[in-house]
Amino acid sequence: MNALREYVFYCCVLLQPFPVPFLIWVLCSSVPTAPANAQIVHSGQACVVKEDNISERIYTIREGDTLVLQCLVKGHPRPQVRWTKTAGSASEKFQETSIFNETLRIERIQRVQGGRYYCKAENGVGVAAIKSIRVDVQYLDKPVLTVHQTLSDVRGTYYQEKTVFLRCTVNSNPPVRFIWKRGNQQIEQSKDNGVDIYEPLYTQGETKVLKLKNLRPQDFANYTCQVSVRNVCDIPDSSVTFLLTTATSPPALRLSVNDTPVVVDPGKNVTLTCEVTAGNPTPTVSWSRYPGPMPSRAQIRGGSLKLFSVTPADSGYYNCTAVNGVGNPAKRNVNLIVRAMKNLTFQITPDSNKDSESIQIGRDLKLSCHVDAQPLDKVVYTWFKNAVPVIPSDSLIVLRSDPDMPPGTSSLEIVDMKFRDQATYSCVASFPDSIVQELRVDVNITQSSVIPPVLTVPPGGAKVTVREGMWTDLVCLVDGKPRPPVLWSRADKDLPMPSGQWVMETRDGRLRLTNVSRDMAGTYRCQTAQYNGLNIKRREAQVQLDVQYAPIVDPVYQDVRTPGKQPVTLRCSVQKANPSSIAWISWLMNKNLIPNDPSNPQQMRINQLEPGKNGTYTCKINNGVGTSSCIFNVSARPYNPEFYYDTPNPIRILKDNNYSYNLQWTQREPAAVDKIIGYWINCRSISASMALRQTVISKQIPANDPQKGDLMSYLLTDLRIPLSYEVWLTAITMYGQGDTAYRTIQYSEPYTYLRPSDHVCGFEDERICGFTQDRSDVFDWTRQNQLSQNPKRSPNTGPDTDRSGTKEGYYMYIEASRPRLQDDKARLLSPLYNVSTKGPKGSNRMSYCISFFYHMRGKHIGSLNVLLRVKSIAMVDTLVWSLSGNQGPRWKQANFIVNPIGPFQVVFEGVRGTGYEGDIAIDDVSVTKGKCKQENSLSTTVLSGGPPLQRFLSPNTLLACVLASLRLFYR
């Protein structure tokens, strides 16, 4: 059934130039919408593309090259394309797009980007199509060679054994082959009893060990570890060499500073030196820092590190490492701390044993002082009473590190407070013998100067209402002596403050919120801080923030299509609003106010859709804060057609340099409106000048009430090669015309990749029929026509037009002007032809005809060579045609036969001559099966997998086509 349907489809297409009955046209329109299907095609710098044992395609590429995967999608409506990746690194989504035939491109691919790539295509018809391809990234790092020595004494003094291990490690894909050499001689374990070559367990990467047992004099030599991935992806071999001598020894280091950490003042210069005390070969010294990178002002010279004008941000661990490939690296580190001090705070703690919240004579009192500093343990606190240093006694106790407070806190305890203890106490934090400025805080302690805090919310401030987008203040009033800061946070512990912080400090208890949004609504907590005040139970309060916003309505926009003379009901629903009560609702048609139903103001009913009632209906809903709108576009206009992009072989080449195009489409939601009776089609050529634009067709074509998914066709004729055209297509009902669909038709060569056909490549399409530039040549071929020629181009060389003589026609040529030099080569590669090598009965190979036109005018013409590149075990280029020197001002044809032994490419090689008058051009290239004809016919078409069909059918064939169409129609 499917085969018959396909046959009828092609038959109908070929019948279009004839005056066929309308029934046949309807049958051509009856092909249903197809579900999406996809195919992944590689077009990047692949080394190998093969099938593994589970029939999955594997794409092998070298690290650093460009990965290009194309998802060739079929199906209608046009499928949505999405690329995803798994394996290799963590799953990641590259892009999601609705662009047809989407290309995934990764520049300079890295090893972690290898894995399985999926192309998923969906169009809402049937199931989604998914194709995958595994990308294998090939790489070879430089190997690392390390030497390890083992010394062991046997009891007594009979002998001493010294064993050396040479360990060679490398990361690669695929696995490497190791070769060990002593000098220039390869080491083979079977021929030398003094060595052992093995692969250790539990190593990262690939490792091979060369064990030298009981060192002999000949073992002191140059050792080379050579690694190879057998030139896969043209990756060259790599090697590393080590000289083993009697003096070979691991590195040792000595640091210039003995004490760590090293504490310095800000602004100072610091020099750290790692001195190499042992090691052969001479170790290499490097510096690093943790955490973070080296400061920008750091200067490294050998084992010396110098830091200029250090700041607290330069603090950290500085690591010195010496490596010479022998044994383990030698490491030393130093902790550098740059002094800094900020945020000096105090706390007043009444007698905690009595649960007191105020100062009372006869009870204990504690004053605490804390500063944020580095290093914290080097801070010295000094206490003063009325500007006189405190002398510790039984009633005044100084705690250098208070265990009840955060680390680095100093406290002054006043035991059994007397009237004489009421005074001004000062705490001074400093670094002895440092330029860092000391910090000081003063606290006045009397019964009247220290009052517990009170936290209140001003009248009417417990709930704050604000409109979205505005600003507001949340206020908590704090009183007391001394008055502590107020800390703000969300009552919901899972929500941060609008600034992103969890807690915000305010000195006056006023929190300002700007650009308020609805997600800021909720309860906010204010509470007193326990520092810079009394260290007692916190006071707290809450403020409710209410954010008002305009209604959220549904739908925001809706396109309503309906048959004419039918009732229509529109409804605008409120999803959320604050306040929720509605102030007013109004309806407009085309911006004019219209009456609504008072009993149901959110609904508008159109009793009968007539031409005068088509238009834009707007429902505006206001809740006193703002207005939101539902917009309805109401009409009986048909939806736009949707063009079909997967028409097999839509282009047919006609006589007189013309071509036809089989335009196909489906109708979007045809049942939504009145019966579609036809389409208005317009087609005109594309040109930068309006005067040169040519209209090919502008008329109404019939349609027979198409259903959803029906594929309709129309054959556009009299299209001029190689011009492109704009097409407008509009559905028509008894109501009138609907929405218009637009499409650009671009002429492309009817050329089938990987299968030679009778078609000719004239390079009219930018894809140049799948030809590519050779990356290993000196320069490239250039695509050009008369309109794109440089007006200052070299005279007396090169063609004026392409072989057809039209100014729009393209050709390929080599530019011989500077900077080109004599004998520079440009090579153009054809697609790869995966063809059968079995010839006709009685012959061993299939013959192929290579035909093309060439233009070689100029006194400096070099050579045009054609090579046959056959891919088998090795890639071989064979010269099959060559011509040199000036051949005159006209295009000339060349054709010859080749008999390849396997898949092949045709290589056009242009060689620059002695001067700039040496442009060479080619055009109208074809590769066909069999022997060369006198001239290539352009009037045949190849169906996929089938024989050529002549354009004109005999009467018997025409009758058979009609009968098959009728059988399919009535079945």
Side-chain angles (χ1 to χ4, degrees):
M1 180 65 183
N2 291 335
L4 177 60
R5 187 183 297 269
E6 182 181 6
Y7 174 76
V8 173
F9 170 77
Y10 284 113
C11 178
C12 295
V13 170
L14 292 173
L15 285 172
Q16 289 302 313
F18 297 92
V20 294
F22 181 69
L23 171 62
I24 301 299
W25 190 88
V26 173
L27 286 174
C28 290
S29 306
S30 64
V31 179
T33 299
N37 60 77
Q39 175 187 6
I40 295 181
V41 176
H42 69 90
S43 56
Q45 298 164 300
C47 308
V48 181
V49 177
K50 63 181 181 180
E51 312 288 331
D52 68 5
N53 54 8
I54 58 172
S55 300
E56 180 186 39
R57 304 191 73 209
I58 303 177
Y59 181 111
T60 304
I61 186 171
R62 182 173 59 185
E63 186 173 46
D65 284 351
T66 300
L67 172 70
V68 180
L69 300 177
Q70 286 184 310
C71 190
L72 303 185
V73 184
K74 293 183 179 180
H76 197 69
R78 179 186 299 184
Q80 301 275 331
V81 178
R82 183 177 66 183
W83 283 98
T84 56
K85 169 184 176 288
T86 59
S89 60
S91 297
E92 50 189 314
K93 186 180 294 184
F94 281 91
Q95 54 189 340
E96 185 170 346
T97 175
S98 57
I99 298 176
F100 185 65
N101 282 2
E102 180 59 40
T103 298
L104 172 65
R105 183 182 182 92
I106 303 176
E107 303 282 353
R108 299 187 60 82
I109 190 169
Q110 300 302 305
R111 63 194 65 179
V112 296
Q113 294 174 301
R116 186 171 286 106
Y117 288 79
Y118 293 89
C119 168
K120 183 176 182 181
E122 295 179 288
N123 67 351
V125 181
V127 297
I130 301 177
K131 288 292 182 179
S132 69
I133 184 170
R134 200 172 84 215
V135 176
D136 191 18
V137 181
Q138 311 279 289
Y139 58 90
L140 175 62
D141 292 343
K142 187 172 179 61
V144 176
L145 180 58
T146 57
V147 179
H148 304 269
Q149 298 179 354
T150 299
L151 296 175
S152 61
D153 277 331
V154 177
R155 290 183 178 271
T157 57
Y158 296 104
Y159 67 92
Q160 183 181 49
E161 178 186 303
K162 187 176 183 181
T163 301
V164 173
F165 301 86
L166 282 78
R167 181 188 296 262
C168 186
T169 301
V170 66
N171 292 309
S172 71
N173 182 30
V176 298
R177 177 182 62 185
F178 288 88
I179 297 176
W180 283 102
K181 293 181 181 179
R182 182 188 289 117
N184 295 323
Q185 187 71 29
Q186 182 172 340
I187 299 175
E188 298 182 41
Q189 183 169 294
S190 59
K191 298 181 180 179
D192 190 339
N193 294 329
V195 301
D196 191 9
I197 301 175
Y198 63 93
E199 182 177 341
L201 299 176
Y202 312 116
T203 57
Q204 291 185 348
E206 297 177 68
T207 301
K208 214 73 164 180
V209 173
L210 173 64
K211 180 181 179 182
L212 305 176
K213 301 179 290 186
N214 196 13
L215 283 179
R216 304 160 298 182
Q218 65 265 32
D219 291 332
F220 296 101
N222 265 321
Y223 289 87
T224 299
C225 173
Q226 180 177 327
V227 293
S228 170
V229 289
R230 302 164 183 82
N231 205 36
V232 62
C233 285
D234 298 324
I235 298 177
D237 294 354
S238 184
S239 64
V240 60
T241 301
F242 184 87
L243 175 61
L244 180 65
T245 70
T246 56
T248 299
S249 60
L253 287 176
R254 182 170 59 205
L255 201 57
S256 61
V257 293
N258 296 324
D259 297 330
T260 184
V262 175
V263 181
V264 297
D265 285 333
K268 298 291 186 180
N269 296 337
V270 178
T271 300
L272 304 173
T273 302
C274 263
E275 179 185 356
V276 176
T277 59
N280 188 301
T282 303
T284 301
V285 180
S286 62
W287 283 91
S288 63
R289 177 181 176 232
Y290 176 83
M294 279 286 188
S296 59
R297 301 179 304 279
Q299 183 182 85
I300 301 176
R301 290 183 178 176
S304 179
L305 168 65
K306 190 168 185 178
L307 305 174
F308 297 91
S309 301
V310 294
T311 66
D314 296 331
S315 298
Y317 286 89
Y318 289 82
N319 307 301
C320 169
T321 305
V323 178
N324 70 344
V326 181
N328 295 321
K331 297 182 179 181
R332 294 291 184 271
N333 65 75
V334 57
N335 182 16
L336 176 67
I337 298 178
V338 182
R339 293 187 182 97
M341 193 158 49
K342 60 181 180 179
N343 299 334
L344 183 64
T345 59
F346 70 91
Q347 294 187 48
I348 305 171
T349 306
D351 194 337
S352 57
N353 294 325
K354 305 296 184 180
D355 293 331
S356 177
E357 290 194 346
S358 62
I359 295 177
Q360 298 180 27
I361 301 299
R363 291 193 177 182
D364 295 345
L365 180 70
K366 182 166 68 174
L367 305 178
S368 301
C369 185
H370 179 83
V371 68
D372 296 334
Q374 60 176 18
L376 193 57
D377 58 343
K378 302 297 183 182
V379 176
V380 174
Y381 292 97
T382 306
W383 286 92
F384 295 86
K385 179 181 179 182
N386 293 332
V388 177
V390 171
I391 299 176
S393 63
D394 292 340
S395 61
L396 293 177
I397 303 174
V398 177
L399 300 177
R400 299 299 177 186
S401 182
D402 190 343
D404 297 330
M405 295 290 175
T409 301
S410 176
S411 295
L412 174 63
E413 288 191 357
I414 304 175
V415 181
D416 191 14
M417 185 175 178
K418 306 294 190 295
F419 283 104
R420 67 174 182 270
D421 294 325
Q422 297 186 90
T424 298
Y425 292 86
S426 303
C427 174
V428 177
S430 64
F431 287 119
D433 303 323
S434 171
I435 65 171
V436 178
Q437 187 175 2
E438 65 182 22
L439 297 180
R440 180 188 184 101
V441 62
D442 298 323
V443 183
N444 186 24
I445 299 297
T446 66
Q447 285 185 295
S448 61
S449 65
V450 178
I451 301 175
V454 177
L455 189 67
T456 59
V457 176
K463 183 175 181 180
V464 177
T465 301
V466 62
R467 290 191 179 186
E468 192 169 34
M470 306 298 287
W471 64 269
T472 189
D473 284 337
L474 307 184
V475 180
C476 281
L477 301 177
V478 63
D479 200 0
K481 294 182 181 180
R483 187 168 65 178
V486 175
L487 304 180
W488 286 89
S489 61
R490 299 291 289 265
D492 186 341
K493 296 180 179 180
D494 295 332
L495 295 177
M497 297 291 287
S499 64
Q501 300 173 294
W502 291 100
V503 178
M504 292 182 63
E505 177 184 318
T506 59
R507 298 301 305 176
D508 58 357
R510 185 179 298 272
L511 176 66
R512 171 153 295 187
L513 301 177
T514 59
N515 194 22
V516 176
S517 60
R518 65 193 67 176
D519 58 349
M520 293 184 187
T523 304
Y524 289 76
R525 178 188 294 111
C526 59
Q527 58 185 359
T528 56
Q530 291 180 312
Y531 54 86
N532 291 342
L534 281 168
N535 180 24
I536 58 177
K537 183 179 179 181
R538 293 184 175 183
R539 275 53 169 168
E540 67 175 49
Q542 292 185 347
V543 177
Q544 181 74 29
L545 178 64
D546 182 35
V547 181
Q548 295 184 336
Y549 52 89
I552 299 175
V553 296
D554 181 69
V556 176
Y557 175 83
Q558 185 176 3
D559 189 6
V560 179
R561 307 287 177 114
T562 185
K565 308 296 183 180
Q566 297 293 319
V568 179
T569 301
L570 311 176
R571 179 171 179 79
C572 184
S573 301
V574 177
Q575 306 295 313
K576 288 192 300 184
N578 188 18
S580 58
S581 59
I582 303 301
W584 52 264
I585 299 176
S586 64
W587 281 86
L588 298 91
M589 175 188 173
N590 298 331
K591 299 182 180 181
N592 297 318
L593 192 65
I594 58 176
N596 57 0
D597 184 359
S599 63
N600 193 355
Q602 293 177 231
Q603 181 172 298
M604 172 61 65
R605 179 174 175 82
I606 306 172
N607 293 325
Q608 192 176 42
L609 184 62
E610 299 173 347
K613 294 183 179 180
N614 288 272
T616 301
Y617 289 75
T618 304
C619 176
K620 294 187 175 183
I621 301 180
N622 183 280
N623 66 341
V625 174
T627 303
S628 300
S629 300
C630 296
I631 299 176
F632 304 90
N633 185 25
V634 180
S635 75
R637 291 165 53 91
Y639 285 101
N640 57 282
E642 294 180 317
F643 286 112
Y644 184 57
Y645 288 85
D646 295 323
T647 305
N649 301 320
I651 294 178
R652 298 289 188 273
I653 299 177
L654 308 177
K655 294 181 179 180
D656 300 325
N657 207 37
N658 285 349
Y659 72 97
S660 66
Y661 193 95
N662 184 29
L663 187 71
Q664 294 188 298
W665 68 92
T666 58
Q667 176 60 43
R668 179 185 172 194
E669 304 296 340
V673 294
D674 293 321
K675 175 181 176 181
I676 295 176
I677 60 176
Y679 287 89
W680 188 266
I681 184 169
N682 289 273
C683 177
R684 68 176 181 180
S685 61
I686 299 175
S687 175
S689 172
M690 293 295 295
L692 297 178
R693 294 189 177 185
Q694 176 189 6
T695 299
V696 175
I697 186 174
S698 179
K699 71 173 186 178
Q700 181 176 332
I701 58 177
N704 185 22
D705 190 17
Q707 302 302 306
K708 185 174 183 178
D710 286 355
L711 191 62
M712 291 163 278
S713 301
Y714 186 83
L715 191 68
L716 297 170
T717 58
D718 299 326
L719 307 181
R720 183 75 173 170
I721 297 176
L723 298 182
S724 298
Y725 292 84
E726 296 174 328
V727 178
W728 296 265
L729 190 64
T730 308
I732 303 173
T733 65
M734 294 299 295
Y735 165 82
Q737 295 187 10
D739 296 341
T740 301
Y742 303 90
R743 181 178 179 184
T744 299
I745 293 176
Q746 294 181 334
Y747 176 79
S748 61
E749 299 289 345
Y751 205 91
T752 306
Y753 291 0
L754 310 180
R755 182 183 297 116
S757 67
D758 290 337
H759 295 303
V760 178
C761 176
F763 306 109
E764 305 301 338
D765 189 85
E766 291 182 357
R767 293 170 293 183
I768 57 174
C769 315
F771 278 74
T772 57
Q773 307 282 357
D774 191 343
R775 292 190 299 163
S776 63
D777 57 10
V778 179
F779 68 111
D780 289 341
W781 288 77
T782 303
R783 176 174 172 267
Q784 181 177 270
N785 63 7
Q786 187 184 62
L787 300 176
S788 61
Q789 287 177 354
N790 187 345
K792 298 182 179 179
R793 67 191 182 100
S794 305
N796 304 318
T797 188
D800 295 326
T801 66
D802 75 334
R803 204 269 301 184
S804 66
T806 60
K807 61 183 178 181
E808 299 91 359
Y810 283 87
Y811 55 88
M812 301 295 291
Y813 84 104
I814 63 169
E815 176 57 65
S817 301
R818 295 181 61 184
R820 301 279 68 83
L821 302 175
Q822 185 174 353
D823 294 330
D824 280 359
K825 296 179 180 179
R827 283 190 288 271
L828 188 67
L829 310 180
S830 77
L832 178 66
Y833 299 105
N834 291 323
V835 296
S836 172
T837 57
K838 294 181 180 180
K841 188 175 182 180
S843 62
N844 294 327
R845 300 179 187 173
M846 174 67 71
S847 297
Y848 291 88
C849 175
I850 299 175
S851 176
F852 63 94
F853 284 81
Y854 62 87
H855 192 285
M856 301 171 66
R857 178 184 63 154
K859 63 182 180 180
H860 301 141
I861 290 291
S863 300
L864 175 61
N865 302 321
V866 181
L867 301 97
L868 188 68
R869 176 172 293 182
V870 179
K871 290 194 173 183
S872 55
I873 298 177
M875 189 169 60
V876 179
D877 289 349
T878 304
L879 182 66
V880 292
W881 187 91
S882 182
L883 189 63
S884 301
N886 184 9
Q887 302 298 319
R890 293 184 178 85
W891 287 93
K892 297 182 179 181
Q893 186 178 23
N895 51 59
F896 52 89
I897 297 173
V898 294
N899 297 281
I901 62 174
F904 69 94
Q905 289 176 284
V906 181
V907 182
F908 288 91
E909 180 182 73
V911 183
R912 199 258 196 186
T914 57
Y916 63 88
E917 293 185 21
D919 295 353
I920 299 174
I922 60 172
D923 198 6
D924 291 350
V925 179
S926 67
V927 179
T928 58
K929 283 185 179 181
K931 297 183 179 181
C932 297
K933 302 175 183 178
Q934 190 64 28
E935 63 180 73
N936 292 334
S937 174
L938 304 181
S939 61
T940 59
T941 300
V942 174
L943 295 179
S944 177
L949 291 179
Q950 298 300 326
R951 181 160 187 79
F952 300 100
L953 303 179
S954 66
N956 291 336
T957 305
L958 175 62
L959 178 61
C961 176
V962 173
L963 292 176
S965 304
L966 291 173
R967 284 197 299 272
L968 177 62
F969 180 77
Y970 285 105
R971 185 180 301 180

